[in-house]
Amino acid sequence: MSSRDDSPAATLASAAAALDGAVVGVALAICAASSWAGYFSTSAALRRIAAAPSPRISDLRSLLPASDSDEDRDGPLVVVRGAVSALKDQIVSQSSGERGVIVQHTQTFLYNEWRGVFGWSYDLCTFIGRTWKGPRSCSVRSVPFVLVDGGRWPHSGTVHVSLDGSSHPLPLTTVYHHLHPVQATPYTFIQAMFGKGYAVGVLDEEKILRVGEEITAVGICRTQHGTLEIKSCPELPCFLSNMTKDEIEADLADKTSILFWSSVVLGTVSISILSYAVVRNWRRWKSWRQSRRQNQELHDDAQVLSSSDNESQDVPDGQLCIICLMRRRRSAFVPCGHLVCCPSCAMSVELDSSPKCPMCRQHIRSSIRIYDS
């Protein structure tokens, strides 16, 4: 790792260890709070899905509330499983030639980093790795489709699937995956010389939702213009899934358990670190205040003593303080016993980090005020 990368790392390490680990404690507390939030949302979703009915598609209309008006109304949360069937012409994958109702094509640029002749590094890439993903473009095509409850549509129950406003992941199957290398150009060579990231390949992926595939829909059942439809629920973590209801509940139960124990561990560690940091900094602050108060008292005493000794005009040269050369020698150092300083200068010597007698350079413990008889 170069010195350019060492500097941010050292800065981060010193910031994390600041205030006896208080920064780390706060970061862990934020992670614990996030885990608690995830635990409560996931457990609430688990309870809703476990309590939701899972009828046959042909029996969904019996669950909808009776309404005398012609307005469309949302029904209950249901979990239904059926086979995918297209209402219109199916979409043909351009890469694999397979047919489906949803086709997602993703193109991702892969970048590589080299230090170059000048030894420069590209940001903090050494923390991420030598190769990482760059910008990506994604296009999704879909046609209206329904879930069929056994047999062949339209001779069995069907429910329309509405993807409007849904941000949940789709249970797509990868049918095409290919890496295309990018040919080097003179501009690439210049980028490499200066240590800049340059593209080394393009990853093409294509995923589809096949016709006839068995999937589970977890959403709100309603009638839309007289047609039975199921739409996603934003509060739930999934909408369409390859798993059955029991598998979805088991997966959410595992996530709930992981989030619970991770939040407990992170919360305990963060509380311990923050408590330690608070106690250490409180004691340090108290010690600093006590030391400041003692220094202030010593300074005040020295000022009082020096004001009472304001007789510099009558002091012979042999009795002047060897530091200030203004006041009479009144304080003797312990243990050397040299009487060479006035009280004010003696206090200044005592408050030094390594107090030594200005005459013999011996380490001193204190000073004693000497009075004339």
Side-chain angles (χ1 to χ4, degrees):
M1 187 181 298
S2 64
S3 58
R4 185 184 174 198
D5 293 329
D6 284 337
S7 179
T11 304
L12 291 175
S14 59
L19 299 177
D20 294 315
V23 176
V24 176
V26 171
L28 290 177
I30 294 175
C31 294
S34 176
S35 298
W36 276 116
Y39 164 74
F40 287 120
S41 62
T42 306
S43 58
L46 175 60
R47 288 192 297 269
R48 291 190 63 184
I49 294 177
S54 54
R56 295 172 59 88
I57 297 178
S58 56
D59 300 331
L60 284 176
R61 289 190 180 273
S62 61
L63 300 177
L64 297 178
S67 176
D68 297 333
S69 63
D70 294 332
E71 296 180 357
D72 299 325
R73 296 180 58 185
D74 289 345
L77 177 70
V78 295
V79 181
V80 295
R81 188 170 180 84
V84 176
S85 180
L87 287 176
K88 298 181 180 180
D89 295 337
Q90 303 170 13
I91 305 177
V92 180
S93 170
Q94 298 178 356
S95 303
S96 63
E98 298 192 39
R99 296 179 178 271
V101 294
I102 300 177
V103 176
Q104 175 181 303
H105 182 260
T106 305
Q107 190 177 64
T108 307
F109 290 89
L110 299 181
Y111 280 77
N112 190 44
E113 178 269 339
W114 183 57
R115 292 189 181 279
V117 239
F118 298 102
W120 294 347
S121 173
Y122 188 75
D123 295 332
L124 296 178
C125 53
T126 49
F127 294 108
I128 305 172
R130 308 301 292 183
T131 304
W132 69 96
K133 293 183 178 181
R136 59 164 37 189
S137 60
C138 183
S139 62
V140 179
R141 295 179 296 157
S142 63
V143 296
F145 66 97
V146 296
L147 295 184
V148 182
D149 185 11
R152 290 186 176 273
W153 178 74
H155 304 292
S156 60
T158 61
V159 59
H160 289 244
V161 178
S162 174
L163 297 177
D164 296 338
S166 174
S167 58
H168 297 88
L170 298 173
L172 304 179
T173 304
T174 302
V175 294
Y176 180 76
H177 184 93
H178 187 70
L179 177 63
H180 304 279
V182 176
Q183 297 296 330
T185 63
Y187 179 66
T188 304
F189 177 72
I190 295 175
Q191 285 181 307
M193 287 185 60
F194 287 90
K196 294 292 184 180
Y198 57 93
V200 295
V202 179
L203 180 64
D204 279 331
E205 291 180 300
E206 198 163 59
K207 300 180 180 181
I208 68 169
L209 180 59
R210 293 189 178 96
V211 175
E213 185 174 351
E214 289 279 337
I215 64 173
T216 302
V218 183
I220 304 296
C221 184
R222 65 176 182 176
T223 54
Q224 185 75 5
H225 304 297
T227 304
L228 194 63
E229 184 182 78
I230 187 169
K231 67 174 185 176
S232 64
C233 182
E235 292 81 13
L236 298 181
C238 62
F239 174 38
L240 302 178
S241 174
N242 290 322
M243 298 184 292
T244 63
K245 180 182 178 181
D246 294 337
E247 291 173 342
I248 292 175
E249 292 180 11
D251 181 64
L252 290 178
D254 293 339
K255 290 181 180 178
T256 302
S257 178
I258 292 174
L259 287 171
F260 174 77
W261 288 111
S262 63
S263 58
V264 169
V265 172
L266 289 175
T268 303
V269 174
S270 64
I271 290 174
S272 303
I273 293 178
L274 288 175
S275 301
Y276 170 78
V278 167
V279 171
R280 281 292 303 271
N281 285 282
W282 172 256
R283 290 178 177 175
R284 187 177 299 171
W285 182 75
K286 286 181 63 178
S287 175
W288 174 79
R289 282 197 61 186
Q290 184 178 2
S291 174
R292 184 179 179 183
R293 187 183 300 112
Q294 291 176 352
N295 292 342
Q296 187 65 33
E297 291 176 354
L298 291 174
H299 181 71
D300 294 342
D301 292 343
Q303 291 293 333
V304 172
L305 292 175
S306 61
S307 61
S308 63
D309 276 344
N310 191 14
E311 25 180 334
S312 56
Q313 64 278 11
D314 300 329
V315 179
D317 292 341
Q319 298 183 13
L320 285 176
C321 172
I322 64 173
I323 295 180
C324 66
L325 297 176
M326 293 176 59
R327 291 178 288 271
R328 186 185 296 271
R329 304 177 183 180
R330 293 292 191 185
S331 294
F333 293 112
V334 177
C336 64
H338 285 121
L339 180 64
V340 291
C341 293
C342 64
S344 179
C345 294
M347 289 297 176
S348 300
V349 172
E350 285 187 58
L351 295 178
D352 192 26
S353 58
S354 178
K356 294 180 180 179
C357 173
M359 178 65 68
C360 63
R361 308 304 298 169
Q362 181 180 351
H363 184 79
I364 62 172
R365 296 194 302 266
S366 62
S367 62
I368 300 177
R369 165 76 173 186
I370 304 298
Y371 295 93
D372 294 334
S373 56

